[in-house]
Amino acid sequence: MSRASDTLQARAEVLKLARMLGREPSSLAYLETVPLADVRTLRAQITQALWSPDGSGIGKLAAAAKLLPAGLSATISERALGPVISAQLAARLEPSRAVDVAAKLPTPFLADVAIELDPRRTSAVIAGIPPQRIGEITAELVARGEYVTMGQFVGHLDDDALRAALGAMDNAGVLRVGFVLEDKGGLDRLLALMAPGRITGIIGAAAEADLWLEALDLLGHLGPARRRQMIASARSLDDSVLERIVATVVEHELWPEARLIAERDPRLEAKLGLARS
Amino acid sequence: MTGRKPERELAALRERLGSEPPQGLHALTGAQLADLTTAITEARRRQREALAAAGDRALNHVPRFLRGPIRRVAG
């Protein structure tokens, strides 16, 4: 069901790998044929090989950073180290210390660091950033279209931080982030934090921005109650929108997901029946 | 593609990674595996150079009286 989202995530993984290796993404296109989980493992292995504490020098830099006040560390991060090294340093500092340094950095630079960060190794740092700041960083990442980066962070944020992040994006952004979420089990939790009125607006956002692949993928991962809430507004969709849903269903073979809407809309059910025959 | 299993290239990648490459990579050709190993080797060299340069730049922002202790810690 999520082949298309796997493809998108595999591309994003290859893009991150290319960035890490200083290569053009197209030169590593052969990795897009490798299963997504294996590309992720490979990226973790390469990170380890490049940044192992012994010999890479990053451990010494972290030891030196511990001697400096947070404000000075922040200045050095921004002006001398840059986002790639700062992201690695964040994983090696005491989380409370890394949070203090982050508090003194400008939001655009924190967004740069977030893109390079490995959330699995910096979960405690991410959890320590105040919700308001998470909202500001999210707004910056949304402006840059960094949905895959945001998708990697969702599982590491508490409810208040997630609410702040949701407040910084529109419903189309929610659909795009949800589509590339690493753990799709988090989708129900994400939507539970949204106001009911906003959930019914998601279908409208899908229609407006032609994000039916994302919307159908989302529907397929929600519990029954949340799903009902979301498709309540689907009945008012006009004919051209229904055609787009059918085209997405046919292209990506999302028949079970489409049926979730179709059972509430006989017009869509009829169109799906025609497309299948 | 010759059909030959690229054992030599896989071994080189294994050594570069310091761990067993994921199973999915075994389906790549020898040339692709060799390219990947080269990319990692070059990135490692560039990264060492970048870290050394960043360390030097960082020292310029540190007050003079702290540079001695910092140099001792950072080697």
Side-chain angles (χ1 to χ4, degrees):
Chain A
M1 136 160 76
S2 55
R3 251 177 311 160
S5 98
D6 276 4
T7 304
L8 206 66
Q9 289 189 63
R11 257 183 224 152
E13 284 292 331
V14 172
L15 194 71
K16 288 190 172 201
L17 255 178
R19 201 150 50 191
M20 193 192 292
L21 294 173
R23 282 284 195 94
E24 280 298 317
S26 59
S27 75
L28 297 175
Y30 54 84
L31 289 176
E32 288 179 22
T33 64
V34 174
L36 175 61
D38 286 345
V39 181
R40 283 213 175 110
T41 303
L42 176 68
R43 188 159 69 86
Q45 287 176 322
I46 294 177
T47 305
Q48 178 66 26
L50 292 182
W51 297 96
S52 62
D54 47 319
S56 75
I58 190 74
K60 290 175 180 174
L61 214 52
K66 283 177 192 161
L67 299 179
L68 302 173
L72 185 53
S73 286
T75 302
I76 289 173
S77 280
E78 191 185 0
R79 297 195 189 156
L81 304 184
V84 175
I85 296 174
S86 296
Q88 291 300 323
L89 213 48
R92 285 171 173 81
L93 292 176
E94 277 292 312
S96 60
R97 166 88 184 159
V99 169
D100 288 345
V101 174
K104 298 185 183 303
L105 283 165
T107 301
F109 184 75
L110 285 182
D112 291 340
V113 174
I115 292 165
E116 306 294 341
L117 215 54
D118 179 354
R120 288 164 298 188
R121 295 169 60 226
T122 48
S123 197
V125 181
I126 297 163
I129 308 280
Q132 189 195 334
R133 207 72 208 283
I134 293 289
E136 291 164 6
I137 297 166
T138 303
E140 185 77 27
L141 292 172
V142 168
R144 298 183 195 183
E146 285 284 347
Y147 300 105
V148 173
T149 298
M150 289 184 271
Q152 290 174 338
F153 279 80
V154 168
H156 301 270
L157 297 172
D158 67 18
D159 287 356
D160 287 339
L162 269 182
R163 272 193 206 95
L166 285 165
M169 65 179 84
D170 59 12
N171 281 340
V174 174
L175 280 168
R176 290 188 167 107
V177 171
F179 189 58
V180 292
L181 217 59
E182 282 200 350
D183 173 17
K184 296 277 187 178
L187 283 170
D188 222 53
R189 177 183 165 228
L190 198 64
L191 265 68
L193 296 170
M194 294 171 73
R198 195 173 166 189
I199 293 177
T200 53
I202 289 185
I203 291 284
E208 206 167 291
D210 197 16
L211 294 172
W212 287 111
L213 176 58
E214 289 81 352
L216 291 168
D217 181 69
L218 175 61
L219 270 177
H221 287 95
L222 294 179
R226 200 85 54 211
R227 190 186 294 153
R228 268 197 303 277
Q229 243 180 327
M230 189 174 147
I231 58 182
S233 62
R235 271 174 265 179
S236 56
L237 297 174
D238 67 33
D239 239 39
S240 65
V241 173
L242 295 182
E243 295 289 351
R244 287 298 307 144
I245 297 178
V246 173
T248 307
V249 169
V250 172
E251 187 183 347
H252 299 283
E253 296 183 6
L254 294 166
W255 302 98
E257 289 80 0
R259 204 142 294 291
L260 299 172
I261 301 185
E263 64 192 21
R264 297 197 150 233
D265 189 329
R267 292 174 307 147
L268 179 60
E269 189 148 31
K271 281 182 191 296
L272 285 171
L274 275 177
R276 206 157 198 184
S277 60
Chain B
M1 287 273 288
T2 60
R4 170 184 76 86
K5 203 161 182 227
E7 295 292 354
R8 195 160 44 98
E9 290 84 355
L10 270 172
L13 179 59
R14 186 179 302 120
E15 191 185 346
R16 185 78 296 176
L17 288 174
S19 51
E20 187 63 35
Q23 195 58 37
L25 266 70
H26 291 227
L28 296 180
T29 66
Q32 290 167 338
L33 289 166
D35 176 64
L36 191 56
T37 306
T38 303
I40 299 168
T41 305
E42 287 172 358
R44 198 174 154 95
R45 179 184 52 74
R46 279 197 306 273
Q47 180 249 34
R48 298 277 145 101
E49 290 168 3
L51 258 177
D56 290 342
R57 280 197 307 275
L59 266 184
N60 291 332
H61 295 274
V62 174
R64 285 188 191 284
F65 73 94
L66 270 176
R67 289 183 191 174
I70 292 286
R71 276 206 184 90
R72 275 194 291 282
V73 171

